[in-house]
Amino acid sequence: NFPEKPSTVIDLLLELIGPEGTLVMPAIPLRMDPERVLLIDREPVSTGLICEIFRRHPGVVRSIHFSSSVIALGPQAEFLVKDHQTTETPWDPASPYQRLMELDALCIGMGIGRFLASLTPLHAVESILRHQIPFFADIFRGTITYRWRSSDGREGEHTFFTRQGTFDAARFGRNYPKEQYVEFRLSNLWLWSISARDAVNTGVALGRRGISMYKT
């Protein structure tokens, strides 16, 4: 029921976080074909109109990744995106997702379902636990290799482990202490927020207890 344009939502978010804040959105490439070169700065996103409008916003930078890139604007943007094409999984320590934890970022969901229904940084849980627990190691079966090229002339090749298995993040979210997150309804939309640290650290603690968002 919001009467304004997608760009207005972006402007409101930037105003809320101020010039010292960094705004980050998911930017999963629209076409994922390992046989073609990923032109990362030109590839549209599959994560919705607001994200696509933000991708085109002046000053926005994008991480290089075949399946899990992000776009960012602000003082920490370069730190977040710079090494994504070097990771073994899309959510490793050098990825934007674990770096969001380092920066104590706040994750928000707007109109994407109830709490934790869709939160890509949550996949850092299996990236962390894959070296510790066989169940999580088994989630990663096989690899993808792709070539990429950026508009500044850089290019390269990246191989990463792919994730297998179905999961239900919303159902998993019922295990989170209610004091860790905020959830409310605005008109016909559910909105929620949680810190990246709490989202991942609680997920890791639950995983060590045998509780996972993956269906077994």
Side-chain angles (χ1 to χ4, degrees):
N1 299 327
F2 185 66
E4 303 293 339
K5 300 180 295 184
S7 59
T8 306
V9 178
I10 296 168
D11 292 340
L12 287 169
L13 291 171
L14 291 172
E15 181 181 346
L16 281 169
I17 66 175
E20 295 183 359
T22 299
L23 182 60
V24 187
M25 296 187 189
I28 296 170
L30 183 62
R31 295 179 297 165
M32 288 187 280
D33 179 1
E35 297 302 315
R36 71 182 184 94
V37 176
L38 175 62
L39 303 177
I40 191 63
D41 298 316
R42 296 170 56 184
E43 179 65 28
V45 307
S46 62
T47 45
L49 183 58
I50 290 176
C51 294
E52 176 60 20
I53 298 299
F54 185 53
R55 181 185 73 84
R56 306 176 191 185
H57 194 285
V60 166
V61 293
R62 188 176 188 176
S63 70
I64 300 167
H65 202 279
F66 177 80
S67 67
S68 301
S69 69
V70 305
I71 40 182
L73 178 67
Q76 299 292 347
E78 289 290 348
F79 167 70
L80 288 167
V81 308
K82 65 179 181 178
D83 297 316
H84 207 176
Q85 73 277 14
T86 69
T87 56
E88 289 187 342
T89 81
W91 314 286
D92 279 356
S95 74
Y97 303 103
Q98 289 203 43
R99 288 180 175 176
L100 287 170
M101 296 172 61
E102 292 182 47
L103 298 176
D104 197 21
L106 181 68
C107 301
I108 62 172
M110 300 189 299
I112 55 172
R114 297 295 299 269
F115 170 66
L116 222 54
S118 181
L119 182 62
T120 306
L122 194 61
H123 289 296
V125 171
E126 57 256 35
S127 285
I128 292 169
L129 292 178
R130 73 186 180 97
H131 297 294
Q132 306 171 25
I133 300 174
F135 172 81
F136 291 98
D138 194 49
I139 288 172
F140 296 95
R141 305 173 195 164
T143 61
I144 288 179
T145 298
Y146 67 98
R147 294 166 295 145
W148 59 267
R149 184 181 304 137
S150 61
S151 57
D152 61 5
R154 293 179 299 144
E155 57 185 320
E157 187 174 275
H158 178 210
T159 299
F160 66 97
F161 289 106
T162 57
R163 172 186 56 79
Q164 307 292 326
T166 58
F167 58 88
D168 186 342
R171 187 168 178 269
F172 181 58
R174 299 171 192 166
N175 296 284
Y176 278 64
K178 291 190 179 299
E179 62 270 16
Q180 283 192 345
Y181 63 91
V182 174
E183 182 183 44
F184 63 96
R185 192 178 177 104
L186 179 64
S187 184
N188 62 331
L189 299 180
W190 281 101
L191 294 91
W192 50 263
S193 66
I194 186 171
S195 81
R197 287 178 184 172
D198 284 345
V200 177
N201 287 338
T202 298
V204 168
L206 289 168
R208 289 182 175 137
R209 290 166 47 197
I211 302 171
S212 167
M213 65 178 172
Y214 283 85
K215 299 176 181 178
T216 57

